[in-house]
Amino acid sequence: LINIVFDTSDSMDEKEKIKITTDVVLALLKDAYQRRDRVSLVTYSGRSAELVLPFTSSVESAKRYLEKVPFGGTTPMVSGILTGVETILQELKREPSAVPIMILVTDGTANVPLNRGGSIERELLQVCKGFNDYRINMLVVDISRNGSDLAQKLADVACGKYYHPVLLSKETLYSAIKGERDDLTDIASSASNIR
């Protein structure tokens, strides 16, 4: 299960970043059919997050959803991550043997707390600490220009991986996600063969 949590706030409103992320979701879906993977997409901007693409392996339905994703507003990253976690946990009830991977695509900006007046960083770290309990694997793809300390910290707290491409392209983003997926599914299939 590959859940992509994507920042669609003002800070990300660059056509090139949008196109790259859209292309990568579609490329993952083309792989998904052969591998029996499923991909979902959560976006966050304004005051909250939204599940814009429920888990699917259908490229056509993904295209329809992706064409309608609006950009702009503030950056409620905590809400995005929580919505991603809820989406994965719902799917794991139906398919407990699946390997869940959350891909957080961020420029390291967060400016809307979950609770009014709350500490954004504390909320983010609290949510990411729960990843081990949920057995969700996390890959943070930092698409900021110079790398974000916050993005690195979230990956560390979630015991996940951090990736900051020197140059963001469809190929670099796709190969980072594909590499993470392949590593984790190899580990999972080795573990099930041992049992």
Side-chain angles (χ1 to χ4, degrees):
L1 299 175
I2 300 172
N3 172 244
I4 298 170
V5 176
F6 184 50
D7 179 354
T8 53
S9 68
D10 272 337
S11 66
M12 293 286 286
D13 194 6
E14 291 176 33
K15 285 188 171 55
E16 190 57 25
K17 286 179 181 175
I18 297 164
K19 180 167 177 15
I20 287 167
T21 305
T22 302
D23 287 350
V24 167
V25 170
L26 294 173
L28 286 168
L29 281 165
K30 284 176 186 161
D31 283 358
Y33 182 74
Q34 295 169 321
R35 298 178 45 92
R36 295 199 319 252
D37 290 343
R38 281 176 301 126
V39 178
S40 68
L41 178 67
V42 168
T43 60
Y44 62 95
S45 64
R47 303 286 322 152
S48 63
E50 183 185 357
L51 173 63
V52 293
L53 177 66
F55 275 107
T56 183
S57 51
S58 162
V59 177
E60 283 313 306
S61 66
K63 264 187 183 158
R64 282 195 301 275
Y65 277 97
L66 291 169
E67 283 163 2
K68 294 184 276 185
V69 173
F71 280 75
T74 53
T75 316
M77 191 194 296
V78 187
S79 181
I81 295 172
L82 275 176
T83 302
V85 168
E86 288 163 9
T87 303
I88 289 171
L89 294 178
Q90 283 285 305
E91 204 61 26
L92 283 173
K93 285 179 187 167
R94 276 177 266 200
E95 197 181 335
S97 64
V99 177
I101 305 169
M102 180 186 289
I103 314 292
L104 174 64
V105 181
T106 178
D107 61 1
T109 306
N111 55 22
V112 177
L114 206 53
N115 301 304
R116 193 178 295 277
S119 162
I120 295 168
E121 188 167 332
R122 189 175 323 121
E123 289 177 351
L124 282 165
L125 295 175
Q126 198 66 45
V127 170
C128 288
K129 278 180 189 160
F131 273 58
N132 277 337
D133 297 340
Y134 302 132
R135 296 194 337 269
I136 295 174
N137 304 285
M138 184 183 217
L139 171 65
V140 177
V141 179
D142 178 356
I143 59 175
S144 65
R145 186 161 285 129
N146 301 313
S148 158
D149 290 342
L150 178 61
Q152 173 81 65
K153 204 182 285 187
L154 297 179
D156 292 346
V157 168
C159 298
K161 288 189 182 156
Y162 171 81
Y163 177 64
H164 180 248
V166 178
L167 182 67
L168 181 68
S169 69
K170 176 184 168 182
E171 292 74 26
T172 56
L173 182 55
Y174 176 75
S175 66
I177 295 171
K178 188 173 174 294
E180 178 73 355
R181 179 201 64 201
D182 293 349
D183 288 353
L184 291 167
T185 50
D186 287 349
I187 292 166
S189 67
S190 299
S192 66
N193 289 339
I194 292 168
R195 277 188 225 130

